[in-house]
Amino acid sequence: MRRLSLLLGLALVALLALGGLAQAQRTPKELFEGEVLAPEFPTDLDWINIDNPLTMSGLVGKIVIFDFWTYGCVNCLHVIPVLEQVERKYAEEVVVIGVHSAKFDNEGQTENLRQIVQRYGIHHPVINDNDFEVWGSYGARAWPTIAVVDPRGYWVIRQSGEIPFEAFDNYLSGMIEYYDEQDASIIDRTPLELALEGAGDPGTPLLYPGKVLADSASDRLFIADSSHNRIVIADLNTRAVVDIIGSSARGKDDGGFESATFDKPQGMALAGDLLYIADVNSHAIRVADLVERVVTTVAGDGIMGRQRLPFGRPIEAPTTVSLRSPWDVEFDEAGNLHIAMAGTHQLYIYEPEGGFLYPSVGNGREANLNDVSLADSELAQPSGLYYAGDGKLYFADSESSTIRLADFENDLVTVVSGTTNNHLFEYGDIDGELGMNRLQHALGVEGGLNGDIYIADTYNSRIKVIRAGETATHTLFGLGGLGGLGGYADGGSAVAEFDEPGGISYADGILYVADTNNHVIRTIDLEAGLVDTFEFSNPEALAIESDAVTLLGGNSADDRSVELELQLLAPGEGALSLWLEFPDQYKINPLIDSQLEVHSEEGLIATGVVAGARFSLPVELSAGEGRLYADLTLYYCREGAEALCFIEEVRWVIPYEAGDSSDRSEVTLYREVVAPDL
């Protein structure tokens, strides 16, 4: 009970963060038992990642976490990796359900939502709650909102905003121990069987490319191949792939081009032989030396920031600062790098020469406040930049569905396209004069040679333009798609279609468009008035580990969790030995890393890459009783068919007692892999 008391103390701190309790003290019953039965789901909702709709009555025995989100919201995207940690640690006890209550019309389409679930690797059931039915039944008021249902089926918590993993961890561990103390059968530890979306290859060399940069001086095209976690460099003339930056593994490692890792990179800016990269989920600004072929980090410590930096005050050690989802970068004529810091709703400046970093536009409040100073302006998730010279920086302010102008010479922020009403919910697909026209979550902005401003109007799946000297916005290309769904067609303005284009760049009369949901780069010949697809002359150069088609393995879902008998072990240095038995002609896929992770009740204690059928992972065991959780993610394939990759996920629960009475230091984990039923 002493451990439970400690957990209750930690859980109280967590619950204060989760639920904002008014009183300083709560009993365990008040902390962990709800009083209102969780409402059932409406029967007409579309579900993703599961074969059949779930019911609350069928989830009794599970701790259920509801994540109310909308996919254009950067704060909602910040919650996804936190819930991923929760799902890994509490795979047996907790079920996470994403409730997608769309802000924008385009987000409410199930097929668009399905693409987002695939793009961000969401591995829990997701509901399309487009009519806000579930949202209303839980009284949600903002994105993101978290609600928790206890294992008896009663709603116990609702809290808006981002919640750190530590708060979830402390509260959930307390709740689990509380119910186990009452009756170990209250919590149902049977894994939920899922049917994950996005197991297949989209059939293109790129995967959800986010931004693109065309450089006519060097005849190079730089592509943020975002969901492959790499940068692709191609020749503008021959369309050949000339280099690749990043191994395609997800991470934030500096180093040579072959070993460096990124996590959903987006905008890029070129200064000589240095390519600056906004690495969104690494929360960092990275630099690739194109001559030395080395990647380094110049700003951000790799941790998502939770506090805003003081406005205009230079930070002299930018790599010690926690940034928050930088989405695009752009140089001015003085050599300063402007950063669209989407997660803090601000623009930053990084000065490469002095190594200084500071917020330059926006007070950090998420809003659409124009015709005020740079410091007093309020932005809403800036995601695209274009510097026009003379201190004029255009930015795509996605959540306000506007294109705005930061005028550094006149200390003023104004709007040039989209609503002028200082509102976050006025959007649409309307051409016309400023004040009347509407955009929908535009992510990209670019300038042409003659002063035209081009817009990637993302959720409208259109490319729009503000002609030089004019104030009206007009559609240039893109039919917009039927019912909010984009399309894919080359040709003239009467037929060309895009699907959520996220980036746009101009060079020598050509617009290059990152057509994100079509997994390709498109070109727009402005003189000819034609849209074409940028076809690589050597697409085989883009074949990478994650291009393998990944399918579920042959073992049943019921066999993905194995609890061993109590293991009597010696304290100190030990090991987990993994023995894998493969069917004939099958092996570990050498193109992608299989991993074994070991957690204790306190967190991660060891991890290793499984390279063979026999593998040993060292672990350190403390004296006393405890549990280890060994999670294997195994990628395997048939001999000679590495491009068709199968995935096997299994967890071993290992109760142990470490004491002087035993000299055994090794636990064997055995797994017979079953041939997939093709």
Side-chain angles (χ1 to χ4, degrees), residues 50 164 184 189 215 268 311 404 466 475-476 555 564 649 653:
I50 198 146
R189 288 178 163 84
D215 180 51
M268 299 156 290
F311 188 90
R404 300 165 75 179
I466 308 171
T475 296
L476 189 64
N555 290 75
L564 303 184
E649 292 180 324
V653 181

Side-chain angles (χ1 to χ4, degrees), residues 415-673:
V415 61
V416 299
S417 185
T419 180
T420 58
N421 293 329
N422 297 338
H423 204 292
L424 291 181
F425 288 84
E426 288 193 4
Y427 60 86
D429 186 8
I430 303 173
D431 287 354
E433 283 293 330
L434 178 63
M436 183 194 79
N437 77 287
R438 293 291 183 268
L439 308 174
Q440 189 177 187
H441 199 81
L443 289 175
V445 60
E446 175 67 314
L449 188 62
N450 63 356
D452 291 346
I453 301 297
Y454 299 100
I455 302 165
D457 192 5
T458 307
Y459 284 2
N460 285 324
S461 294
R462 298 186 191 265
I463 304 301
K464 297 185 176 181
V465 63
I466 308 171
R467 296 296 182 191
E470 298 180 6
T471 56
T473 299
H474 296 288
T475 296
L476 189 64
F477 284 93
L479 299 184
L482 180 64
L485 296 174
Y488 182 18
D490 289 336
S493 59
V495 296
E497 292 183 283
F498 301 87
D499 194 350
E500 292 196 10
I504 187 168
S505 185
Y506 173 87
D508 295 332
I510 304 292
L511 284 176
Y512 295 83
V513 179
D515 195 8
T516 303
N517 282 358
N518 283 324
H519 311 291
V520 293
I521 303 302
R522 314 289 290 283
T523 61
I524 301 176
D525 187 320
L526 295 173
E527 182 177 353
L530 291 174
V531 174
D532 195 6
T533 298
F534 188 95
E535 300 283 357
F536 297 101
S537 61
N538 56 339
E540 67 278 1
L542 294 174
I544 57 172
E545 297 169 2
S546 57
D547 269 343
V549 179
T550 304
L551 305 172
L552 293 179
N555 290 75
S556 68
D558 294 338
D559 197 26
R560 291 178 191 164
S561 182
V562 180
E563 181 158 0
L564 303 184
E565 296 180 353
L566 179 67
Q567 306 290 306
L568 301 179
L569 302 169
E573 294 183 4
L576 296 183
S577 292
L578 179 65
W579 286 60
L580 300 174
E581 295 291 342
F582 289 98
D584 289 345
Q585 300 181 354
Y586 282 85
K587 64 176 182 178
I588 290 179
N589 195 320
L591 300 180
I592 185 168
D593 288 343
S594 296
Q595 288 195 322
L596 182 67
E597 287 188 353
V598 182
H599 297 259
S600 68
E601 300 287 355
E602 286 71 35
L604 181 68
I605 61 172
T607 184
V609 174
V610 180
R614 303 292 183 266
F615 173 73
S616 181
L617 182 65
V619 295
E620 186 77 19
L621 295 176
S622 301
E625 297 180 353
R627 279 180 172 237
L628 297 179
Y629 303 89
D631 295 309
L632 172 67
T633 302
L634 174 67
Y635 299 96
Y636 66 101
C637 60
R638 188 186 293 270
E639 291 281 357
E642 286 77 6
L644 186 63
C645 181
F646 299 92
I647 183 172
E648 183 98 341
E649 292 180 324
V650 60
R651 161 172 280 199
W652 286 272
V653 181
I654 310 165
Y656 71 90
E657 182 178 315
D660 295 336
S661 60
S662 176
D663 59 0
R664 180 170 165 240
S665 61
E666 186 175 65
V667 176
T668 298
L669 308 176
Y670 175 78
R671 185 67 169 177
E672 181 180 1
V673 179

